[in-house]
Amino acid sequence: MKHRFISMIAASFISTASFLSFADAPKYIFYFIGDGMGMAPAMAAATYNRSVLGTAELPLMMTFPVAGQVMTYSASSDVTDSAAAGTALATGNKTVNGMLGVTPDTTAVYSIAGILKDKLGYGVGLVTNVAADDATPGAFYAHVPHRKMAKEIDRQFAEGNVDFLAGASLNGLYDKDGNSTGVPELFEKNNIRLVNTIDEIGNGTERIALIEKNPFHKSNIGYVNDSIPGKLTLTDMTQACLDYLIRKTPDGFFMMVEGGNIDHALHGNDGLSAISEIYNFNDALTVAYRFLLAHPEETLIVVTADHDTGGLSIGNNANGYVAHFDVLKSQKMSKEMFSDVCKKWLGSNRKQSWTNMKAFLKENFGFWGKVKIDDKETEALKTLYADVFEKKNSKEEKSLYNNFNAFASEVFRLISKKAAVGFTTGAHTGNPVPVYSAGVGSENFGRLLNNTEIPAEILRISGLSF
């Protein structure tokens, strides 16, 4: 696994951050949302850096001068879903789990993106590495009673005023048989160019929908630790969006960037992939941070999460007061990728064997090498292998975004056990999430906040309100 650990903090900026004048509204606002990135996943990324890679360097967001915590409960539950959380972060309103851009009585509420555009003429760009009509990006432009209304969400984007949208897919473009839903034609009618590569964007200023042509599992671009060639990256999409907004509205813009794959990895209880995606998210954040360094008195960056996913802990009952994150270094692929490998083995006419699987686990996960697997654990894996691949009588493990092969799930439970990475759930939790900020007005986020307060503060700093 390779990460780009970039230390971008300028000492002069940090030392003077609290002395900046906040009399003027920020002209450039960056809102970074790490989907599922609770306090513990963020700290796990820092722990991996320190204990495995041997450096005390922190993820960029953690070096920002202001930090706080955020409560995430929804109007219907102490444990929010992404739609209700996205609505809170975008519109400053609590709503029922599953609802998007509306109050519990389905009244439409409008996001800070739309208000900044209508009141100040700001350009608006939304970027994610999961579906661009999923809950978090959708909360900034859509108003629907349920987040799964993809066709309607896409229609509202087409008829709305978001300038630039980028992601892994648009779920409402085609029906399950691949036939057009009429949304592509609606894009064309509203002068939106649907492109699949950054080069296709060109130097124009017409509205853009940048969508990955071959998404991974139809819902995300792919995990960085799988090194899938030729895919769009979160960093490149973020830079492309920034370049576009500078061209179109150089006097002011709002940009939201979501690290959606963090959530996907945590739903799968895949610790290393979550850590890798947090650093991927921070790589994209460097694009905004470089811009802030060039425009320190005109720029605000706020980094937070919509909710915590997985209930991750650094430490578990199997390891006491010792964590072994070095175990994760031997992992060469995501849980989703390994599950795909297992499913291909099941569907192949080529006869596989426990010997082949054992060699695969040793090469790709370090089992019986760097990762110590005892005789009892080996026998249990061998028995499960026979059940799954020879007797074909095991059920898949279901998560929000994938159904995992049972053998793959057990391999990853064993990895987590050995590494002392604990998970309490494959869903969300009510745990708090972090908020980090830098630039104009950043001092307003250094406390315990309700998620609805973040967009309200951004508007207040900008001289506006809901």
Side-chain angles (χ1 to χ4, degrees):
M1 181 186 64
K2 296 181 179 179
H3 294 303
R4 288 188 291 146
F5 298 100
I6 303 177
S7 179
M8 297 288 297
I9 299 298
S12 61
F13 172 77
I14 292 299
S15 64
T16 61
S18 61
F19 300 104
L20 291 175
S21 171
F22 302 127
D24 296 328
K27 292 169 60 177
Y28 312 110
I29 300 170
F30 295 90
Y31 199 5
F32 277 72
I33 300 173
D35 198 331
M37 189 184 69
M39 303 289 286
M43 188 55 65
T47 300
Y48 187 90
N49 204 19
R50 182 184 67 252
S51 63
V52 178
L53 300 183
T55 173
E57 187 176 348
L58 294 168
L60 174 59
M61 61 188 179
M62 289 185 172
T63 66
F64 280 9
V66 180
Q69 295 184 34
V70 182
M71 298 180 290
T72 65
Y73 63 89
S74 72
S76 60
S77 176
D78 291 326
V79 180
T80 188
D81 86 320
S82 291
T87 299
L89 290 175
T91 75
N93 287 272
K94 297 281 187 182
T95 195
V96 172
N97 285 0
M99 291 186 171
L100 192 62
V102 296
T103 59
D105 65 357
T106 70
T107 300
V109 284
Y110 293 89
S111 78
I112 54 175
I115 292 171
L116 287 164
K117 189 172 189 68
D118 290 344
K119 300 295 185 182
L120 300 180
Y122 282 15
V124 174
L126 308 174
V127 175
T128 182
N129 54 3
V130 296
D133 49 10
D134 206 351
T136 302
F140 287 86
Y141 62 83
H143 318 281
V144 290
H146 201 281
R147 60 184 291 186
K148 291 186 178 179
M149 298 172 65
K151 178 182 175 180
E152 177 62 16
I153 292 171
D154 289 351
R155 183 191 67 78
Q156 291 185 26
F157 163 71
E159 295 177 349
N161 56 13
V162 172
D163 299 293
F164 186 103
L165 182 68
S169 59
L170 281 169
N171 294 318
L173 294 182
Y174 304 98
D175 64 22
K176 62 181 180 179
D177 298 319
N179 300 313
S180 174
T181 59
V183 170
E185 293 77 11
L186 194 59
F187 275 30
E188 185 176 356
K189 179 181 177 181
N190 285 275
N191 299 314
I192 298 168
R193 282 208 299 125
L194 185 60
V195 300
N196 301 123
T197 68
I198 290 171
D199 288 343
E200 291 177 77
I201 297 171
N203 295 317
T205 57
E206 63 269 55
R207 295 174 68 199
I208 293 290
L210 170 62
I211 304 299
E212 168 62 44
K213 189 173 184 178
N214 298 299
F216 184 62
H217 284 176
K218 298 182 180 180
S219 61
N220 67 64
I221 284 176
Y223 296 99
V224 292
N225 60 330
D226 287 327
S227 301
I228 304 172
K231 300 292 184 184
L232 292 169
T233 71
L234 190 63
T235 299
D236 289 345
M237 288 189 294
T238 301
Q239 184 65 63
C241 182
L242 177 58
D243 292 342
Y244 170 91
L245 291 173
I246 291 170
R247 282 197 309 274
K248 185 166 186 175
T249 55
D251 293 330
F253 57 74
F254 170 87
M255 184 170 167
M256 190 284 295
V257 179
E258 180 196 25
N261 273 358
I262 301 169
D263 182 60
H264 285 221
L266 290 167
H267 273 292
N269 290 175
D270 182 350
L272 181 70
S273 293
I275 290 168
S276 301
E277 291 302 328
I278 289 170
Y279 272 103
N280 184 36
F281 179 65
N282 275 264
D283 283 347
L285 180 59
T286 63
V287 173
Y289 191 70
R290 290 189 186 102
F291 187 88
L292 181 148
L293 292 178
H295 306 273
E297 296 185 5
E298 301 174 306
T299 305
L300 170 65
I301 303 176
V302 177
V303 184
T304 191
D306 53 351
H307 52 72
D308 173 75
T309 301
L312 184 148
S313 66
I314 302 170
N316 60 10
N317 284 333
N319 290 274
Y321 290 94
V322 180
H324 299 283
F325 272 36
D326 56 311
V327 166
L328 301 175
K329 192 175 182 181
S330 300
Q331 181 183 325
K332 296 181 180 179
M333 64 179 64
S334 69
K335 182 177 179 179
E336 288 196 31
M337 182 68 78
F338 180 52
S339 181
D340 283 356
V341 169
C342 290
K343 290 175 183 179
K344 288 177 182 177
W345 279 33
L346 270 170
S348 174
N349 292 325
R350 179 183 175 187
K351 187 174 181 180
Q352 305 291 347
S353 68
W354 166 243
T355 299
N356 292 343
M357 178 58 79
K358 191 173 181 180
F360 188 92
L361 295 176
K362 186 172 184 178
E363 178 182 354
N364 291 283
F365 299 101
F367 282 21
W368 303 284
K370 179 72 174 178
V371 182
K372 306 302 179 185
I373 307 295
D374 63 28
D375 291 344
K376 184 178 180 180
E377 291 163 336
T378 299
E379 190 59 33
L381 280 174
K382 184 177 180 180
T383 299
L384 182 60
Y385 176 88
D387 287 341
V388 172
F389 294 97
E390 295 171 7
K391 299 177 184 179
K392 303 183 188 299
N393 65 357
S394 66
K395 294 182 179 179
E396 291 185 339
E397 177 187 67
K398 293 184 178 181
S399 79
L400 183 61
Y401 295 106
N402 204 344
N403 294 334
F404 294 104
N405 173 272
F407 186 81
S409 292
E410 183 57 34
V411 166
F412 273 76
R413 275 191 284 270
L414 196 52
I415 291 169
S416 294
K417 174 185 174 182
K418 297 293 182 178
V421 176
F423 288 100
T424 63
T425 179
H428 300 173
T429 78
N431 292 340
V433 300
V435 57
Y436 310 102
S437 56
V440 178
S442 59
E443 77 281 6
N444 293 282
F445 302 95
R447 55 190 172 89
L448 177 63
L449 293 157
N450 207 313
N451 54 8
T452 55
E453 294 180 87
I454 295 178
E457 284 290 346
I458 293 173
L459 285 185
R460 188 184 64 80
I461 294 165
S462 303
L464 301 171
S465 64
F466 285 113

